[in-house]
Amino acid sequence: MSPEVAVSAEKASAAGPLLVVSAHAGDFVWRAAGAIALAASRGDRAKVVCLSYGERGESARAWREGKGLDEIKALRRAEAEAAAAELGADIDFLDAGDYPLPESPELVDRLVRVYRDFEPAVVLTHPPADPYNGDHPAAARMALQARVLAQAIGYDAPGEPLGAPPVFFFEPHQPEQCDFKPDVLLDITPVFDRKRKAMECLPAQRHMWDYYTDLARRRGVQLKRNAGPNLGLAHDTMAEAYVRLYPQTTDVLA
Amino acid sequence: MSPEVAVSAEKASAAGPLLVVSAHAGDFVWRAAGAIALAASRGDRAKVVCLSYGERGESARAWREGKGLDEIKALRRAEAEAAAAELGADIDFLDAGDYPLPESPELVDRLVRVYRDFEPAVVLTHPPADPYNGDHPAAARMALQARVLAQAIGYDAPGEPLGAPPVFFFEPHQPEQCDFKPDVLLDITPVFDRKRKAMECLPAQRHMWDYYTDLARRRGVQLKRNAGPNLGLAHDTMAEAYVRLYPQTTDVLA
Amino acid sequence: MSPEVAVSAEKASAAGPLLVVSAHAGDFVWRAAGAIALAASRGDRAKVVCLSYGERGESARAWREGKGLDEIKALRRAEAEAAAAELGADIDFLDAGDYPLPESPELVDRLVRVYRDFEPAVVLTHPPADPYNGDHPAAARMALQARVLAQAIGYDAPGEPLGAPPVFFFEPHQPEQCDFKPDVLLDITPVFDRKRKAMECLPAQRHMWDYYTDLARRRGVQLKRNAGPNLGLAHDTMAEAYVRLYPQTTDVLA
Amino acid sequence: MSPEVAVSAEKASAAGPLLVVSAHAGDFVWRAAGAIALAASRGDRAKVVCLSYGERGESARAWREGKGLDEIKALRRAEAEAAAAELGADIDFLDAGDYPLPESPELVDRLVRVYRDFEPAVVLTHPPADPYNGDHPAAARMALQARVLAQAIGYDAPGEPLGAPPVFFFEPHQPEQCDFKPDVLLDITPVFDRKRKAMECLPAQRHMWDYYTDLARRRGVQLKRNAGPNLGLAHDTMAEAYVRLYPQTTDVLA
Amino acid sequence: MSPEVAVSAEKASAAGPLLVVSAHAGDFVWRAAGAIALAASRGDRAKVVCLSYGERGESARAWREGKGLDEIKALRRAEAEAAAAELGADIDFLDAGDYPLPESPELVDRLVRVYRDFEPAVVLTHPPADPYNGDHPAAARMALQARVLAQAIGYDAPGEPLGAPPVFFFEPHQPEQCDFKPDVLLDITPVFDRKRKAMECLPAQRHMWDYYTDLARRRGVQLKRNAGPNLGLAHDTMAEAYVRLYPQTTDVLA
Amino acid sequence: MSPEVAVSAEKASAAGPLLVVSAHAGDFVWRAAGAIALAASRGDRAKVVCLSYGERGESARAWREGKGLDEIKALRRAEAEAAAAELGADIDFLDAGDYPLPESPELVDRLVRVYRDFEPAVVLTHPPADPYNGDHPAAARMALQARVLAQAIGYDAPGEPLGAPPVFFFEPHQPEQCDFKPDVLLDITPVFDRKRKAMECLPAQRHMWDYYTDLARRRGVQLKRNAGPNLGLAHDTMAEAYVRLYPQTTDVLA
């Protein structure tokens, strides 16, 4: 192999910054906290961008308790900040509103600027179909459009044109109904404790703690099944599932 | 991460033996020579199993020249042996006949024994659909069935139960018509010369040399497009395309 | 079974109000009149919401006769009202325009208010793909988005948060081209006469009367084929075909 | 509606015998025990047909303990009989062998005779795709072929031609990888205790008890999400997921 | 364009012999009679190969009347011969048995010989999926396999290697359930009378006459819808629907 | 056949004007130049509508050279005009902007007027999915919506209602990733020289000349494979691949 490819495509992109684009303030915790904590534990920068706080659609308990809109936003923000801190990630809030999350050129442009500024090597977002929640696909469409625009030298925003960071969709609440067929199972065993603590930063959704702990165990069983019995995997392997948007580029089949 | 998973699932499986199950004597050359040469160049063992010589269905020129069946088989065998040697792989011929390649429990059992004996860490074979050639899906079905049988401790064959080696489908001649949507692009630039030489071991199919050289260049352009512009990839990146059957298991998203 | 589930999920939801969201004034007649008449005959409330009159795209004869836009709208409205009355349903017209039916947050909000007010137990609308008519998918997208928004306690509209009424897509004009694979065949034999009379309320589309009568007979033959020969079904079973968006919830497999 | 259809198609077929065709002795327990126990609790007959004991492919622990083939078969048989008894079902063993389960006209013919004799109103079997286990799709193919053959008056077997009982595929171990998208969620809350006891009849697979208990809870959460909040469902709803092969026939949309 | 391609690919292949491979004696009548009659009316040779008589699975009335197996076969044969004669086609019967139609290398070999002898320019057969009738996909698999084998010079059968005749799947009884999405609508208006007469050669299936007449009218309406209003098509256009297996080759987009 | 259908549907539509709707100034050259040149060489009118110049997203070299926006637009316009002239087509530029190409009712209305004025018999545009470039699907959505609107007599624009011209999607840069499965292979051998010359009118994208020449050769090999060996096709057949949106209407299967 000539010197210029001595660093493989895979390793180079593995070592870089991780960007997570999330429709609501809590989504990144249930679905991608393991990947975020792994990146941080490797020393990679990680950033979460929440397009909204999930103030209308994901805060039922607060509404039932009679809280007001601004109060709810502040509450969700504080929870998400605590969870991000637990995982070792920065977090930004674009406060674009939810239910519905409005798609607009302006919001896409804000995301382009995030890409140009943060220069992610890996991008995580929602999968493009979710018949239970229109905000999730809306966030995905904007995250994907902004990524392509940020690649164009002619797009008028500060910074250098973006490379082609791979995109992974994280797992929706009802995967089969969202046509989510995992093609990556990520071993999050060493950081699962941090994922659990991040989940516990969201006390209003306590019923989700166990649901997503069970899911991590279930995906862990599947990881072991797909990895084979001989790899020295921990008994209680915990995992997250992802779907790639683009083909993997690599110099080794494994 | 606890010590027992210090060696990641991905790296461990990347370092092991590569098994290629091919319907006819030439298939592995056009479609997987790069992956084979890469494995050999890393020091991994590589083995090709040809279920038939392709004597009836892939030897039109020899038939037109009036050669007999045994002569054609010998010819195809010699060519395939030369190509495998060029790539650094062992090669076995099961001589099960082609056009049609008959599916049978006995042939599957022979493959189980290959798996148990060779203990592959990675398996390559044909994709499961090909409306132009029924032998290719037949080979794939047997390769996949044998892999599952070899995993069962209760299956009566020598050796230890197989792990769960990942399976990659290599590219068919008309990919879209075979519903082949690449999800791995493998950089074969450093070994492309060997692939070309292996192809040239098959003189009766000279028109394929350029067809598959062009294809490697085309897949290389796509690899660069998907890997981003900043990775120091060679100008003339050459690639092979693959489809995974099972989800990737890994401890890093990249 | 504990008392609180003594009434099965299926029966409870079967007994409630039926909402039909239709892009144009005539759509509900050809495609869902049987379901509407069945609901009314059971004593359930039924309501049709027409997003437009179909004044531009579905009124070719009136345009050829030289009628004006307002005249055509009034005509279509009168026809649809007559058809709804025949079926025993209420009907509302949102007069949002057609060809194209414009998608807007305001129109979605009007639908949210319909959901909150009517509290449907079952929702019918167009399937999400139709390469022959963009208004149909637009209507479906808005009907589905509004249903999700109406479920959120934080959405600012009068009334209680909506439950999760099942959604059924009714049959488009060219089902295969719209990827419409029926998964429910509804026996409308006892109310087919009313469907026919409702169709006859639309004299400008007389050629459709027989087309949709033939279709009902065809779907009826299929219903009998799928139900088995021993169920005492009428010789001339008439049926409508539907596709579910969400999984059926039930306490009996049948 | 004429008197002969006063009893709806749905209710009539709901009230009849349930047949489960299972590749190995344990499959019906993990995947369909709830449906079986519900049928028995309604007073419907239920029968399980195990094509093999799963002696080679699903009995790893027994092999590791050094047991012999006949001993393992007897063990699996006893366990499955105990589980079926717990659920209130009859059970037959065709002992056709596993890993691989051989497909043959003779085995299909035996299944035809089961259909003609038992006259099921509902059929459960494996889904048609499973890249982890070839016996499951083989069992499904034979179960489906036999069902069609049993419908033909000209097929030479005792009994009357079969009607058209609906077919439901039960959930495989890794649903997404088997393209299993649930379209029925069955509430098994009132019989879950029996399912748990039936699972506990299989002590060699103790790790599955919790895996399938977690799965039932997970499917229960989804059932509640799809059924809406207002149905008086138990807090700890437990469910099983199914996929229909044929369209549902009904006289009410719900 | 050089002289040798002065006759376009499309016209050349349109002018050649038509081969229809049918599982049972009646299939070609309901589903492909229009295409056959069109070919004959153009002066092209047309041949139907019936793999079985449909004696067990498609002769319910004869069995109920107490007829014997040989009698039923003779009856079906006579009917099919009459229908083929009406359409202007030759017909062969391979009498391989039905319900199930057994797949075997010998039967495939007989089909290879038909291909080599008849040298079809166009092939029609069943689509590859039909959950209601396993014989149809079995016939399709053998027809397709034989076509590929007949192309190989090394296949041991008389005659020259076959070209690459396009394959069209004709319409199954329940198209959506067979994933049949028409991509060709064939105008059979000028020969519909002959199709009707051919159908009337099958008196035991009288209920099918109107079903398939209605279908032809329905497909005719769709043909007009897809062809546009300006083509001078007859008011009562009748059509058959087909699906291509391979891409169309042409020198004009239309 | 009655006189009014003596001219077949296929031939009639083949003989008419060709409209190409392209997102950026260069797209029509790489992907559809062969079809355009064939139409012109038959004497049919051909028109290209470029929705934008591709000034931001497809002009990287010009931006790197420091050119300004207006300069780049002028450059792209001149290149595209030269290429269109080479092919014998008219070309219009709607200058709607790119990266992103904004979707709007106004832009759709402009396209409706093009359809009404030009009265195309065949329409070419981008396929509806492209994860690498959002402008391509946006262009396709508008081209398709405008085509349907132009068919409605009630749509307020000059001219007669449009017929139903068939739509063909041309090949995207990475076909498999765009779910592009060719169903038409168009022989462009006699006009390939003109396509090459048209490509050479775009000097900034010199690396594409060979990429698309290789692709034409590759599609040509596939055309020969699908057309069969006996058709007298030129040795170096060159082809373009297309996907139909609507079913083909014809009076001959070929």
Side-chain angles (χ1 to χ4, degrees):
Chain A
M1 193 185 291
S2 61
E4 79 229 346
V5 285
V7 176
S8 80
E10 184 158 340
K11 282 176 206 155
S13 61
L18 173 72
L19 176 66
V20 184
V21 181
S22 178
H24 310 110
D27 295 332
F28 73 95
V29 183
W30 316 114
R31 290 149 193 171
I36 297 168
L38 278 176
S41 74
R42 282 194 311 264
D44 284 326
R45 289 183 299 133
K47 177 195 276 286
V48 177
V49 176
C50 294
L51 301 180
S52 81
Y53 296 108
E55 59 269 20
R56 296 191 181 278
E58 318 253 301
S59 307
R61 185 200 279 199
W63 287 100
R64 281 196 298 266
E65 292 171 354
K67 295 200 169 63
L69 184 62
D70 288 343
E71 195 178 3
I72 291 172
K73 285 176 162 191
L75 189 73
R76 298 296 317 250
R77 180 183 181 114
E79 291 173 0
E81 283 174 338
E86 184 64 44
L87 300 172
D90 288 335
I91 187 163
D92 283 358
F93 301 92
L94 301 193
D95 193 14
D98 77 329
Y99 269 65
L101 171 61
E103 292 182 76
S104 71
E106 292 71 29
L107 191 48
V108 171
D109 182 68
R110 292 177 69 186
L111 284 172
V112 173
R113 287 157 196 273
V114 171
Y115 279 104
R116 286 273 181 92
D117 177 61
F118 186 68
E119 296 186 307
V122 180
V123 177
L124 311 185
T125 192
H126 299 267
D130 189 337
Y132 298 94
N133 191 317
D135 290 359
H136 295 165
R141 283 191 295 267
M142 290 189 283
L144 297 177
Q145 188 183 17
R147 175 186 166 280
V148 169
L149 297 181
Q151 295 179 314
I153 184 174
Y155 189 91
D156 186 18
E160 291 300 303
L162 187 69
V167 176
F168 296 85
F169 299 127
F170 44 67
E171 179 161 353
H173 200 63
Q174 298 191 56
E176 298 96 343
Q177 304 304 324
C178 300
D179 299 322
F180 183 86
K181 180 176 180 172
D183 47 34
V184 182
L185 293 169
L186 178 70
D187 188 343
I188 62 166
T189 312
V191 297
F192 184 75
D193 285 352
R194 278 201 238 164
K195 174 163 186 170
R196 178 76 194 200
K197 282 185 195 141
M199 293 197 287
E200 293 175 0
C201 295
L202 282 65
Q205 289 160 289
R206 172 181 283 269
H207 60 289
M208 302 278 266
W209 301 354
D210 285 349
Y211 188 82
Y212 278 92
T213 298
D214 285 353
L215 178 62
R217 194 177 298 114
R218 177 175 169 77
R219 293 302 185 195
V221 170
Q222 295 175 359
L223 185 150
K224 284 187 286 184
R225 178 80 184 262
N226 283 285
N230 304 316
L231 289 171
L233 290 166
H235 176 65
D236 279 326
T237 300
M238 306 298 269
E240 283 174 346
Y242 291 89
V243 166
R244 286 180 185 276
L245 175 57
Y246 299 105
Q248 178 187 11
T249 59
T250 184
D251 54 14
V252 59
L253 294 180
Chain B
M1 193 187 290
S2 61
E4 79 233 346
V5 286
V7 177
S8 81
E10 183 158 337
K11 282 177 207 158
S13 62
L18 173 72
L19 178 66
V20 183
V21 181
S22 177
H24 310 110
D27 295 333
F28 73 94
V29 183
W30 316 115
R31 289 148 193 173
I36 297 168
L38 278 175
S41 74
R42 282 193 312 263
D44 285 325
R45 288 182 298 132
K47 178 195 275 286
V48 177
V49 177
C50 293
L51 301 180
S52 80
Y53 296 108
E55 59 269 21
R56 295 190 183 281
E58 318 253 304
S59 307
R61 185 202 279 200
W63 287 100
R64 280 197 299 266
E65 291 172 354
K67 294 201 170 64
L69 186 61
D70 288 345
E71 195 179 1
I72 291 172
K73 285 177 163 189
L75 190 73
R76 300 297 315 252
R77 179 183 182 114
E79 291 173 0
E81 284 174 338
E86 183 64 44
L87 300 171
D90 289 335
I91 187 163
D92 282 0
F93 300 92
L94 301 193
D95 193 14
D98 78 329
Y99 269 63
L101 170 61
E103 293 181 76
S104 72
E106 293 72 29
L107 191 48
V108 171
D109 182 68
R110 293 177 67 186
L111 284 172
V112 172
R113 288 159 195 273
V114 171
Y115 279 104
R116 286 274 181 92
D117 176 62
F118 186 69
E119 296 186 307
V122 180
V123 178
L124 312 186
T125 192
H126 299 266
D130 190 336
Y132 298 93
N133 191 316
D135 291 359
H136 295 165
R141 283 190 294 268
M142 290 190 283
L144 296 177
Q145 188 183 18
R147 175 186 166 281
V148 168
L149 297 180
Q151 294 179 314
I153 185 174
Y155 189 90
D156 186 17
E160 291 301 304
L162 186 69
V167 176
F168 296 86
F169 299 128
F170 44 67
E171 179 162 352
H173 200 63
Q174 297 190 55
E176 297 97 343
Q177 304 304 325
C178 300
D179 298 323
F180 183 88
K181 179 176 180 173
D183 47 36
V184 182
L185 293 169
L186 179 69
D187 187 342
I188 62 166
T189 313
V191 297
F192 183 74
D193 285 351
R194 279 203 235 163
K195 174 162 187 171
R196 178 77 194 197
K197 282 185 194 140
M199 293 197 287
E200 292 174 0
C201 295
L202 283 65
Q205 289 161 288
R206 174 180 282 268
H207 60 288
M208 302 279 266
W209 302 354
D210 285 349
Y211 188 83
Y212 278 92
T213 299
D214 284 353
L215 178 62
R217 193 177 299 115
R218 178 175 167 78
R219 292 302 184 195
V221 170
Q222 295 175 358
L223 185 150
K224 284 187 287 184
R225 179 79 183 262
N226 283 285
N230 305 316
L231 289 172
L233 290 166
H235 176 67
D236 280 325
T237 299
M238 307 298 269
E240 283 174 347
Y242 291 89
V243 166
R244 286 179 184 277
L245 175 56
Y246 300 106
Q248 178 188 10
T249 60
T250 185
D251 54 12
V252 60
L253 294 180
Chain C
M1 195 186 290
S2 61
E4 80 232 343
V5 286
V7 176
S8 82
E10 184 158 339
K11 282 177 205 153
S13 62
L18 173 72
L19 177 66
V20 184
V21 180
S22 179
H24 310 110
D27 294 332
F28 73 93
V29 183
W30 316 115
R31 290 150 193 172
I36 297 168
L38 278 176
S41 74
R42 281 193 312 265
D44 284 325
R45 288 182 300 132
K47 176 195 277 283
V48 177
V49 176
C50 293
L51 301 180
S52 80
Y53 295 109
E55 60 269 20
R56 296 190 181 279
E58 318 253 302
S59 307
R61 184 199 278 201
W63 287 100
R64 281 197 299 266
E65 292 172 353
K67 295 199 169 64
L69 185 62
D70 289 343
E71 196 179 2
I72 291 172
K73 285 175 161 192
L75 190 73
R76 299 296 315 252
R77 179 183 183 115
E79 291 173 1
E81 285 175 337
E86 183 64 44
L87 300 171
D90 288 335
I91 187 163
D92 282 358
F93 301 92
L94 301 193
D95 193 14
D98 79 329
Y99 269 63
L101 170 61
E103 292 182 75
S104 71
E106 293 71 30
L107 190 49
V108 171
D109 182 68
R110 291 177 68 187
L111 283 172
V112 173
R113 287 159 196 271
V114 171
Y115 279 104
R116 286 275 181 91
D117 176 62
F118 186 69
E119 296 186 306
V122 180
V123 177
L124 312 185
T125 191
H126 299 268
D130 189 337
Y132 298 93
N133 191 317
D135 290 0
H136 295 165
R141 282 191 295 268
M142 290 189 284
L144 297 177
Q145 188 183 17
R147 174 186 167 281
V148 168
L149 297 180
Q151 295 179 314
I153 184 174
Y155 189 91
D156 186 19
E160 291 300 303
L162 187 69
V167 175
F168 296 86
F169 299 129
F170 44 66
E171 179 162 352
H173 199 62
Q174 298 191 54
E176 298 96 343
Q177 303 304 324
C178 300
D179 299 322
F180 183 87
K181 180 176 181 173
D183 46 36
V184 182
L185 293 169
L186 178 69
D187 187 343
I188 61 166
T189 313
V191 298
F192 184 75
D193 285 353
R194 278 201 237 165
K195 175 164 186 169
R196 177 78 193 196
K197 281 185 195 141
M199 292 197 287
E200 292 175 359
C201 295
L202 282 66
Q205 290 160 288
R206 171 181 283 270
H207 60 289
M208 302 278 266
W209 303 353
D210 285 348
Y211 188 83
Y212 278 92
T213 298
D214 285 352
L215 178 62
R217 193 177 299 114
R218 177 175 168 78
R219 292 301 185 195
V221 170
Q222 295 175 358
L223 185 150
K224 284 187 287 184
R225 179 81 183 263
N226 283 286
N230 304 316
L231 289 172
L233 289 166
H235 176 66
D236 279 326
T237 299
M238 307 297 269
E240 284 175 346
Y242 291 90
V243 166
R244 286 180 185 277
L245 175 57
Y246 299 105
Q248 179 187 10
T249 60
T250 184
D251 54 13
V252 59
L253 294 181
Chain D
M1 195 187 288
S2 61
E4 81 234 345
V5 285
V7 177
S8 81
E10 183 158 338
K11 282 178 205 155
S13 62
L18 173 72
L19 177 66
V20 183
V21 181
S22 178
H24 310 111
D27 295 332
F28 72 93
V29 183
W30 315 115
R31 290 150 191 170
I36 297 169
L38 278 176
S41 75
R42 281 193 312 263
D44 285 325
R45 288 182 299 133
K47 176 194 275 285
V48 177
V49 177
C50 293
L51 301 180
S52 80
Y53 296 109
E55 60 269 20
R56 295 191 182 279
E58 318 254 302
S59 306
R61 184 200 279 200
W63 287 99
R64 280 196 298 267
E65 292 171 355
K67 295 200 169 65
L69 185 62
D70 288 343
E71 196 179 2
I72 292 171
K73 285 176 161 190
L75 190 73
R76 298 298 314 253
R77 179 182 182 116
E79 291 172 1
E81 284 175 336
E86 183 64 44
L87 300 172
D90 289 335
I91 187 163
D92 283 358
F93 301 92
L94 301 194
D95 193 14
D98 78 328
Y99 268 63
L101 170 61
E103 292 182 76
S104 72
E106 293 70 29
L107 191 49
V108 171
D109 182 69
R110 291 178 68 186
L111 283 172
V112 173
R113 288 159 195 272
V114 171
Y115 279 105
R116 285 275 181 92
D117 176 61
F118 186 69
E119 296 186 307
V122 180
V123 178
L124 311 186
T125 192
H126 299 267
D130 190 337
Y132 298 93
N133 191 316
D135 291 359
H136 295 165
R141 284 190 295 268
M142 290 190 283
L144 297 177
Q145 187 183 18
R147 174 185 166 283
V148 169
L149 297 181
Q151 295 179 314
I153 185 173
Y155 188 91
D156 187 18
E160 290 301 303
L162 186 69
V167 175
F168 296 86
F169 299 128
F170 44 66
E171 178 162 353
H173 200 62
Q174 297 191 56
E176 297 97 343
Q177 304 303 325
C178 300
D179 299 322
F180 183 87
K181 180 176 180 172
D183 46 37
V184 182
L185 293 169
L186 178 69
D187 187 343
I188 62 166
T189 313
V191 297
F192 184 75
D193 285 352
R194 278 201 236 164
K195 175 163 186 169
R196 178 76 194 197
K197 283 186 194 142
M199 293 197 287
E200 292 174 359
C201 296
L202 282 66
Q205 290 161 288
R206 173 181 282 268
H207 61 288
M208 303 278 265
W209 303 354
D210 286 349
Y211 187 83
Y212 278 92
T213 298
D214 285 352
L215 178 62
R217 194 178 298 114
R218 177 174 168 78
R219 293 302 184 194
V221 170
Q222 294 176 357
L223 185 150
K224 284 187 287 184
R225 179 80 183 263
N226 283 285
N230 304 315
L231 289 172
L233 290 166
H235 175 66
D236 280 326
T237 299
M238 306 298 269
E240 283 175 346
Y242 291 89
V243 166
R244 287 179 184 276
L245 175 56
Y246 299 105
Q248 179 188 10
T249 59
T250 184
D251 54 12
V252 60
L253 293 181
Chain E
M1 194 186 290
S2 61
E4 81 233 347
V5 286
V7 176
S8 81
E10 183 157 339
K11 281 177 206 154
S13 61
L18 174 72
L19 178 66
V20 183
V21 181
S22 178
H24 310 110
D27 295 333
F28 73 94
V29 183
W30 316 114
R31 289 149 193 172
I36 297 168
L38 279 176
S41 75
R42 282 193 312 263
D44 284 325
R45 287 183 299 132
K47 176 194 277 284
V48 177
V49 177
C50 293
L51 300 181
S52 81
Y53 296 108
E55 59 269 20
R56 296 191 182 279
E58 317 254 301
S59 308
R61 185 201 278 199
W63 286 99
R64 281 196 298 265
E65 292 171 355
K67 294 202 169 63
L69 185 63
D70 289 344
E71 195 178 3
I72 291 172
K73 286 176 161 190
L75 189 72
R76 299 298 314 252
R77 180 183 182 113
E79 290 173 1
E81 284 174 338
E86 184 64 44
L87 300 172
D90 289 336
I91 188 164
D92 282 358
F93 301 92
L94 301 193
D95 193 14
D98 79 328
Y99 268 63
L101 171 61
E103 292 182 75
S104 72
E106 293 71 29
L107 190 49
V108 171
D109 182 68
R110 292 178 69 186
L111 284 172
V112 173
R113 288 158 196 273
V114 170
Y115 279 104
R116 286 273 181 93
D117 176 61
F118 186 69
E119 297 186 306
V122 180
V123 178
L124 312 185
T125 192
H126 299 268
D130 189 337
Y132 297 94
N133 192 316
D135 290 359
H136 294 165
R141 282 190 295 267
M142 290 189 283
L144 296 177
Q145 187 183 18
R147 175 186 166 282
V148 168
L149 297 180
Q151 295 179 313
I153 185 174
Y155 189 90
D156 187 17
E160 291 300 304
L162 187 68
V167 176
F168 296 85
F169 299 128
F170 44 66
E171 179 162 352
H173 199 62
Q174 297 191 57
E176 297 96 343
Q177 304 304 324
C178 300
D179 299 322
F180 183 88
K181 181 176 179 172
D183 48 35
V184 182
L185 294 168
L186 179 69
D187 187 343
I188 62 167
T189 313
V191 297
F192 184 75
D193 285 352
R194 278 202 238 163
K195 175 162 186 169
R196 177 76 194 199
K197 282 185 195 140
M199 293 197 288
E200 293 174 0
C201 295
L202 282 66
Q205 289 160 289
R206 172 180 283 269
H207 60 289
M208 302 278 266
W209 302 354
D210 285 349
Y211 188 82
Y212 278 92
T213 298
D214 284 353
L215 178 62
R217 192 177 298 113
R218 177 174 168 79
R219 292 302 184 195
V221 170
Q222 295 175 357
L223 186 150
K224 284 187 287 184
R225 179 79 183 263
N226 284 286
N230 304 316
L231 289 171
L233 290 167
H235 176 66
D236 280 325
T237 299
M238 306 298 269
E240 283 174 347
Y242 291 89
V243 166
R244 286 179 185 276
L245 175 56
Y246 299 105
Q248 179 187 10
T249 60
T250 184
D251 54 13
V252 60
L253 294 180
Chain F
M1 194 187 288
S2 60
E4 81 232 345
V5 285
V7 176
S8 81
E10 184 159 338
K11 282 176 207 156
S13 62
L18 174 72
L19 177 67
V20 184
V21 180
S22 179
H24 311 110
D27 295 333
F28 73 94
V29 183
W30 316 115
R31 290 148 193 172
I36 297 168
L38 279 175
S41 75
R42 282 194 311 265
D44 284 326
R45 288 183 299 133
K47 176 195 276 285
V48 177
V49 177
C50 293
L51 301 180
S52 80
Y53 296 108
E55 59 269 20
R56 295 189 182 281
E58 318 253 303
S59 306
R61 184 200 279 200
W63 287 99
R64 281 196 298 266
E65 292 171 355
K67 294 199 170 65
L69 185 62
D70 288 343
E71 196 179 1
I72 291 172
K73 285 177 163 187
L75 190 73
R76 299 296 317 250
R77 179 182 183 116
E79 291 173 0
E81 284 174 339
E86 184 63 45
L87 300 171
D90 289 335
I91 187 163
D92 282 359
F93 301 92
L94 301 192
D95 192 14
D98 77 329
Y99 269 65
L101 171 61
E103 293 182 75
S104 71
E106 293 70 29
L107 191 48
V108 171
D109 182 68
R110 291 177 68 187
L111 283 172
V112 173
R113 288 158 196 272
V114 170
Y115 280 104
R116 286 273 181 91
D117 176 61
F118 186 69
E119 296 186 306
V122 180
V123 177
L124 311 185
T125 192
H126 299 267
D130 190 337
Y132 297 93
N133 191 317
D135 290 359
H136 295 165
R141 283 191 294 268
M142 290 189 283
L144 297 177
Q145 187 183 19
R147 175 186 166 280
V148 168
L149 297 181
Q151 295 179 313
I153 185 174
Y155 188 91
D156 186 17
E160 291 301 303
L162 187 68
V167 175
F168 296 86
F169 299 128
F170 44 67
E171 179 162 353
H173 199 63
Q174 297 191 54
E176 298 96 343
Q177 304 304 324
C178 301
D179 299 322
F180 183 87
K181 180 176 181 172
D183 47 35
V184 182
L185 294 169
L186 178 69
D187 187 343
I188 62 166
T189 313
V191 298
F192 183 75
D193 285 352
R194 278 201 237 164
K195 174 163 187 171
R196 178 77 193 199
K197 282 184 195 141
M199 293 197 287
E200 293 174 1
C201 295
L202 283 65
Q205 290 161 288
R206 172 182 282 268
H207 61 288
M208 303 279 266
W209 301 354
D210 285 349
Y211 188 82
Y212 278 93
T213 298
D214 285 353
L215 179 61
R217 192 177 300 114
R218 178 175 168 78
R219 293 301 185 195
V221 170
Q222 295 175 358
L223 185 150
K224 284 187 286 185
R225 179 81 184 262
N226 283 285
N230 304 317
L231 289 172
L233 290 165
H235 176 66
D236 280 326
T237 299
M238 306 299 269
E240 284 175 347
Y242 291 89
V243 165
R244 286 179 184 276
L245 175 57
Y246 299 105
Q248 178 187 11
T249 59
T250 185
D251 53 13
V252 60
L253 294 181

